[in-house]
Amino acid sequence: MDLTNPLIYGVPCFIALILLEITYSHTHGDEDLYVWKDLMASGAMGIGSAILGPLIKLTVLIVVFNFAYELFNPMVDGVRMNIMGYKSFGYEWYIFLLCQLADDFTYYWFHRANHEIRVLWAAHIVHHSSDHFNLGTAIRNGWFTLLYKPFFYMWMPAVGFPVEVVIFALAIESFWQFQLHSKYVPKMGWIEKIFNTHTMHQVHHSQNVEYLDKNHGGFLNIFDKIFGTWKELDDDIEVKFGVIHAPESYNPIVILTHEYKDIWNDMKKSPKIWHKLMYIFGPPGWSHDGSTMTVRQQQRLFKKQKTQNPEVAFERPN
């Protein structure tokens, strides 16, 4: 079955929606929503992803997915059979729904890993590096994530989902994630109980201590709720977007690479191999001497201080 990748239509739609949001912000007294240098930096990285994406997908994504599909779903008497003994999936409508659900489960763990493993965070921090939450930020994507993302998803063709159905699900996921980056969509009642929404994604892009590493879901929030990472937006908390250690630059190369430089500098702080490995593969903020703290350590300290001295403003340790 030949399926057209919906992302073919993505670029003009993304540009149109960004222009619409810019226009709306300027006509409704919210001129600070976009900073032109910030938007240009995001645009440059978005263009880079659009150029590199097809090249990398041809050499990584398609190769990896096809390899997994062919290896685990060989032809037996003219029928594609999974090695676990059942017939590989076809193109029925419910297979598309199952594949989309599998995609959302995979996206949750892929996204969560990007926040909890520092070398992956070095690639993903690009997306969080702007202190503005808008549709322009949605296209600010790290180029290096394209190299390892397919390996998180290769289990899907391995269990029998056709490669083109998996790629279609990935495209739908990308569309949903793009439109989440707008603060103009309010809470939506019962929809909030099922789907990952715009206000939940504001939480995800916040650097407020209580919001760090929350809401990793794709289009559903069920996996955040199951695995303890869901957090509702509190209207009484002033949200501060961005990251704790921002690159403080509009240069796309600096934005793309600054965290790798920080990892290298941290590795030189200790001669022990274990410490060096932890600076690479441990959680962001980990330090061998306690000079910086992980998200979980910060949140425990934050919770303790709020219990003991709720009137005192929390002072970030990192």
Side-chain angles (χ1 to χ4, degrees):
M1 182 178 183
D2 292 327
L3 288 175
T4 300
N5 190 330
L7 282 182
I8 291 175
Y9 310 104
V11 174
C13 290
F14 294 167
I15 294 173
L17 288 171
I18 289 171
L19 292 174
L20 180 63
E21 187 177 53
I22 291 172
T23 302
Y24 184 89
S25 66
H26 278 263
T27 56
H28 288 74
D30 198 10
E31 292 85 356
D32 294 334
L33 181 67
Y34 280 86
V35 171
W36 289 111
K37 287 184 178 180
D38 185 75
L39 177 59
M40 292 302 102
S42 297
M45 285 176 282
I47 292 171
S49 295
I51 295 171
L52 292 172
L55 297 175
I56 294 175
K57 283 177 182 177
L58 285 174
T59 58
V60 180
L61 190 148
I62 301 299
V63 171
V64 169
F65 284 5
N66 274 310
F67 173 78
Y69 187 73
E70 295 289 338
L71 180 64
F72 292 95
N73 300 273
M75 294 293 291
V76 179
D77 298 328
V79 179
R80 187 72 71 176
M81 296 291 296
N82 190 271
I83 62 170
M84 289 186 282
Y86 56 84
K87 184 179 178 181
S88 303
F89 305 134
Y91 299 94
E92 295 82 5
W93 64 268
Y94 57 86
I95 296 299
F96 280 80
L97 293 181
L98 284 174
C99 188
Q100 201 69 60
L101 181 61
D103 167 90
D104 205 64
F105 174 78
T106 309
Y107 181 83
Y108 171 83
W109 286 107
F110 161 73
H111 196 179
R112 181 168 175 174
N114 279 329
H115 282 257
E116 296 184 351
I117 301 172
R118 192 176 180 190
V119 69
L120 303 186
W121 172 242
H124 185 60
I125 193 176
V126 173
H127 180 63
H128 286 264
S129 59
S130 173
D131 55 3
H132 298 274
F133 185 77
N134 53 48
L135 294 177
T137 299
I139 62 173
R140 179 187 285 238
N141 291 312
W143 300 349
F144 304 114
T145 57
L146 297 169
L147 294 172
Y148 61 83
K149 184 175 181 179
F151 295 98
F152 280 83
Y153 288 79
M154 65 186 298
W155 74 272
M156 293 171 62
V159 299
F161 288 110
V163 172
E164 56 268 48
V165 176
V166 177
I167 293 174
F168 188 86
L170 281 163
I172 298 300
E173 163 210 299
S174 295
F175 272 122
W176 185 267
Q177 282 293 306
F178 170 81
Q179 60 86 36
L180 286 180
H181 295 78
S182 178
K183 70 175 188 177
Y184 291 131
V185 181
K187 292 181 179 180
M188 296 182 286
W190 66 268
I191 293 176
E192 304 271 329
K193 298 183 182 299
I194 304 171
F195 294 99
N196 185 26
T197 63
H198 306 76
T199 56
M200 293 175 198
H201 208 57
Q202 287 182 50
V203 168
H204 181 71
H205 271 262
S206 165
Q207 60 170 289
N208 299 54
V209 176
E210 60 268 51
Y211 286 164
L212 292 174
D213 287 0
K214 301 297 183 184
N215 301 348
H216 300 297
F219 62 92
L220 300 174
N221 60 41
I222 184 172
F223 299 115
D224 278 299
K225 290 179 176 179
I226 290 173
F227 299 112
T229 53
W230 182 76
K231 185 80 171 175
E232 185 179 10
L233 179 70
D234 187 338
D235 294 323
D236 295 328
I237 297 176
E238 183 180 355
V239 176
K240 184 177 181 181
F241 297 113
V243 292
I244 299 170
H245 298 291
E248 297 181 354
S249 174
Y250 296 117
N251 184 328
I253 302 302
V254 173
I255 295 171
L256 286 164
T257 61
H258 76 279
E259 183 67 11
Y260 295 104
K261 181 181 177 181
D262 289 345
I263 290 175
W264 176 250
N265 289 334
D266 285 342
M267 288 173 63
K268 293 186 290 185
K269 293 178 180 178
S270 172
K272 295 183 178 180
I273 297 297
W274 173 246
H275 291 164
K276 295 181 186 296
L277 290 174
M278 282 298 293
Y279 278 121
I280 300 172
F281 300 106
W286 181 90
S287 59
H288 72 284
D289 57 3
S291 57
T292 58
M293 302 174 71
T294 67
V295 166
R296 291 184 181 181
Q297 288 171 332
Q298 290 184 66
Q299 289 175 339
R300 283 197 294 267
L301 182 61
F302 175 80
K303 186 176 181 180
K304 180 180 178 181
Q305 181 176 312
K306 283 297 180 183
T307 301
Q308 296 177 346
N309 300 293
E311 71 284 351
V312 177
F314 181 71
E315 218 172 286
R316 193 185 297 276
N318 285 10

